[in-house]
């Protein structure tokens, strides 16, 4: 079985398993108590905090453990905004942040604050100068992930941190995807992470608040974890999380080089094995184990089921997955194809043989899905019959509107147009992306009696 979804949750590291089992016997007592069992638990908690702080590159008293990475982001954003309320209520995020940060931004807007989303380029990276330009006198906080969870693109954290420091604005870095590979560089102010991303147990997050950062924990007061993460600490999981972070860091340099070679193999070979594929994300500044590509004329959920039957577990940010039925906000912000999206994220230790077998299986899986959907063959063309055509795809979800467009584009002469009628929001993203991939001109959209009309001009 090829488990290729480590960006969602990495398999439990052997060191994490050993530490978890050992601390179940030694770390069950209340670390706030002064008797023998409590002191033993406190020693384990302090040691875990020291180890995690060393891995992050902060002081131990700047780091607290939270019940999850999402809770760390929510607590970090809320506490920093509350601590700087007198400065203003303006928050800056990138357009490709994890949903936890975007949900925190939505909460601020509902409460009367303002949010600026800094756009990204086609590989998913923000421009540091554009981020700096968004900073203002009323900016209370800025948020930027160290690397993207869907496409692996690394962000210019050091440059953005410099701009934030010059403007006197704290920067919160979501390091969930990258912390297992190394420390986050730059003069950041707050940092969050999640243990299950690096092979620790689920249910443990990190929140780091540098000394000097104004921070006001929100919610009812609690004496544990500096008042920033209320509730009894899950000490066995915390010990396992810290132990596994130290272990994966010791292996990171060698394993990163190996996984980069494997993901580069996928990036280079998939476009030759499967027609009409777009590999997305930065080709150089990216995490070692993530590679993402989108397949034209493919339903993402169906493709995932095909690959699952073949023994491969991958994920998708496709607009057609049943979990959301909405386009991936990351792919949407990048302006790339959202349909048929496949994210391969290799856990440490992935055998090269598994990658080779995946490359053997993928072409047949994609072809099977396209055949069921009635997609056109790569070289298929039709005689030119008229100047303009209308494709009625109202009531049909992507990728069907794009498939129907591809079937008839050859029916119009060069310079002729195809008008695609659709009421699926994903068509607004995927039709322009199809034009970009196939060298056709996307003219724009118009309101129609039924749905929206998307105009495409044939130019070759």
């Amino acid at each position: 079985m090829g488990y290729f979804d480590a960006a969602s949750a990495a398999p439990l590291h052997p060191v994490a398993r050993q530490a978890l089992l050992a601390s179940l016997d030694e770390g069950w007592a209340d670390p706030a108590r002064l008797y023998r069992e409590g002191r033993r638990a406190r020693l384990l908690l302090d040691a875990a905090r020291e180890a995690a702080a060393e891995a992050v590159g902060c002081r131990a008293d700047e780091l607290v453990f939270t019940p999850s990475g999402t809770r760390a982001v929510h607590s970090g954003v809320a506490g920093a905004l509350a601590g700087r309320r007198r400065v203003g209520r303006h928050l800056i995020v990138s357009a490709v942040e994890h949903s936890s940060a975007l949900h925190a931004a939505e909460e601020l807007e509902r409460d009367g604050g303002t949010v600026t989303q800094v756009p990204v380029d086609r590989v998913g990276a923000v421009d540091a100068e554009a981020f700096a330009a968004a900073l203002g006198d009323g900016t209370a906080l800025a948020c930027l992930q160290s690397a993207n969870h869907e496409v692996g693109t690394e962000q210019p954290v050091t440059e953005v941190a410099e701009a934030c420091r010059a403007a006197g604005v704290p920067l919160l870095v979501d390091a969930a995807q990258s912390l297992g590979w190394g420390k986050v560089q730059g003069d950041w102010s707050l940092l969050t992470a999640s243990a299950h991303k690096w092979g620790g147990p689920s249910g443990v997050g990190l929140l780091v608040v540098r000394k000097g950062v104004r921070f006001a924990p929100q919610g009812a007061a609690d004496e544990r974890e500096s008042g920033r993460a209320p509730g009894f600490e899950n000490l066995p999981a915390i010990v396992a999380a810290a132990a596994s972070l130290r272990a994966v860091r010791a292996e990171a340099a060698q394993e990163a080089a190996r996984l980069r070679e494997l993901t580069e193999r996928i990036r280079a070979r998939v476009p030759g094995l499967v027609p009409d594929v777009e590999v997305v994300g930065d080709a150089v500044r990216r995490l070692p184990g993530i590679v993402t590509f989108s397949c034209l004329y493919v339903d993402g959920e169906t493709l995932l089921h095909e690959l699952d039957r073949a023994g491969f577990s991958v994920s998708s940010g496709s607009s057609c997955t049943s979990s959301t039925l909405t386009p991936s906000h990351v792919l949407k912000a990048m302006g790339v194809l959202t349909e048929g999206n496949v994210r391969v994220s290799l856990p440490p230790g992935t055998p090269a043989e598994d990658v080779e077998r995946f490359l053997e299986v993928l072409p047949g899986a994609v072809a099977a899905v396209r055949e069921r959907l009635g997609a056109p063959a790569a070289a298929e063309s039709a005689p030119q019959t008229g100047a303009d055509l209308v494709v009625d795809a109202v009531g049909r979800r992507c990728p069907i509107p794009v498939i129907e467009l591809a079937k008839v584009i050859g029916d119009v002469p060069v310079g002729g147009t195809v008008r695609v009628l659709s009421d699926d929001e994903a068509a607004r993203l995927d039709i322009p992306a199809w034009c970009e991939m196939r060298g056709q001109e996307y003219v724009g959209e118009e309101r129609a009696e039924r749905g929206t009309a998307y105009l495409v001009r044939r130019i070759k």
Side-chain angles (χ1 to χ4, degrees):
M1 183 71 177
Y3 180 75
F4 288 178
D5 195 21
S8 294
L12 193 66
H13 194 282
V15 168
R17 185 181 301 277
Q18 295 168 6
L20 181 63
L21 294 175
S23 57
L24 284 172
D25 293 330
E26 298 293 326
W28 52 267
D30 187 347
R33 302 306 176 202
L34 299 179
Y35 42 71
R36 182 190 307 108
E37 293 85 357
R39 294 196 304 272
R40 185 184 300 131
R42 169 55 65 179
L43 287 174
L44 288 173
L45 180 59
D46 289 346
R49 198 183 313 277
E50 289 281 354
E54 181 182 1
V56 170
C58 66
R59 294 171 37 155
D61 59 355
E62 295 175 329
L63 183 150
V64 299
F65 296 103
T66 66
S68 68
T70 293
R71 173 51 57 191
V73 170
H74 289 172
S75 298
V77 171
L81 289 173
R84 287 173 49 83
R85 191 180 183 94
R86 292 184 179 181
V87 174
R89 307 203 64 210
H90 177 226
L91 172 67
I92 300 174
V93 296
S94 84
V96 293
E97 292 300 303
H98 188 268
S99 59
S100 58
L102 298 183
H103 290 160
E106 292 169 359
E107 182 68 20
L108 174 64
E109 288 183 313
R110 284 192 292 268
D111 196 35
T114 60
V115 176
T116 297
Q117 279 198 15
V118 180
V120 296
D121 59 20
R122 195 170 174 83
V123 299
V126 301
D127 179 75
E129 293 184 1
F131 205 104
L135 298 165
D137 292 338
T139 304
L141 178 67
C143 297
L144 181 65
Q145 58 191 195
S146 54
N148 185 257
H149 50 289
E150 285 195 29
V151 299
T153 297
E154 295 178 335
Q155 300 293 354
V157 172
T158 299
E159 295 88 336
V160 169
E162 289 178 0
C164 288
R165 183 66 64 180
V169 175
L171 174 67
L172 184 153
V173 176
D174 173 8
Q177 289 295 340
S178 72
L179 192 60
W181 298 109
K183 295 178 181 178
V184 176
Q185 302 301 313
D187 196 9
W188 46 266
S189 300
L190 302 96
L191 180 141
T192 62
S194 187
H196 72 277
K197 302 291 189 179
W198 66 66
S202 58
V204 180
L206 304 182
L207 170 61
V208 179
V209 182
R210 296 283 201 189
K211 293 296 181 182
V213 176
R214 290 186 176 275
F215 192 89
Q218 299 301 287
D222 192 287
E223 70 276 9
R224 296 181 185 273
E225 293 300 300
S226 304
R228 294 172 183 171
F232 198 98
E233 296 93 344
N234 184 354
L235 187 52
I238 287 172
V239 171
S244 58
L245 181 56
R246 174 178 287 179
V248 298
R249 280 291 190 80
E251 306 160 353
Q254 181 176 355
E255 191 61 20
R258 198 180 70 84
L259 291 186
R260 283 190 187 280
E261 191 279 326
L262 293 179
T263 53
E264 184 56 39
R265 192 181 304 182
I266 297 173
R267 290 182 64 91
R269 289 175 57 184
V270 164
L273 293 170
V274 182
D276 298 317
V277 165
E278 181 179 17
V279 181
V280 300
D282 197 297
V284 178
R285 293 190 57 174
R286 58 184 175 88
L287 292 175
I290 297 180
V291 56
T292 306
F293 53 88
S294 297
C295 305
L296 274 174
Y297 322 131
V298 168
D299 177 300
E301 183 180 8
T302 304
L303 179 56
L304 262 58
H305 287 318
E306 283 286 333
L307 292 172
D308 184 39
R309 282 194 288 270
F312 292 96
S313 302
V314 300
S315 63
S316 174
S318 170
S319 60
C320 304
T321 52
S322 59
S323 59
T324 61
L325 292 179
T326 58
S328 157
H329 73 277
V330 172
L331 302 179
K332 178 180 178 180
M334 293 168 60
V336 299
L337 187 70
T338 66
E339 65 182 68
N341 176 255
V342 175
R343 180 186 68 183
V344 173
S345 48
L346 306 177
T350 299
E353 294 77 12
D354 283 1
V355 171
E356 286 298 323
R357 191 165 65 86
F358 173 77
L359 292 171
E360 292 175 4
V361 166
L362 180 66
V366 175
V369 175
R370 285 174 172 169
E371 183 178 4
R372 285 201 292 273
L373 292 173
E380 185 175 313
S381 61
Q384 300 177 9
T385 59
D388 301 282
L389 283 176
V390 175
V391 171
D392 188 347
V394 173
R396 309 182 73 183
R397 290 196 172 276
C398 278
I400 300 302
V402 181
I403 289 175
E404 296 303 315
L405 165 63
K407 286 181 176 179
V408 303
I409 191 68
D411 291 354
V412 299
V414 172
T417 61
V418 176
R419 184 183 302 265
V420 183
L421 302 178
S422 175
D423 56 356
D424 182 7
E425 180 65 23
R428 179 169 282 112
L429 308 173
D430 289 346
I431 290 176
W434 178 89
C435 292
E436 179 77 18
M437 291 179 67
R438 302 306 297 268
Q440 306 297 349
E441 180 185 357
Y442 178 66
V443 179
E445 63 178 74
E446 299 175 351
R447 296 189 64 176
E449 290 186 13
R450 297 166 58 247
T452 302
Y454 301 96
L455 276 66
V456 176
R457 179 177 292 112
R458 181 182 178 185
I459 60 174
K460 67 176 186 178

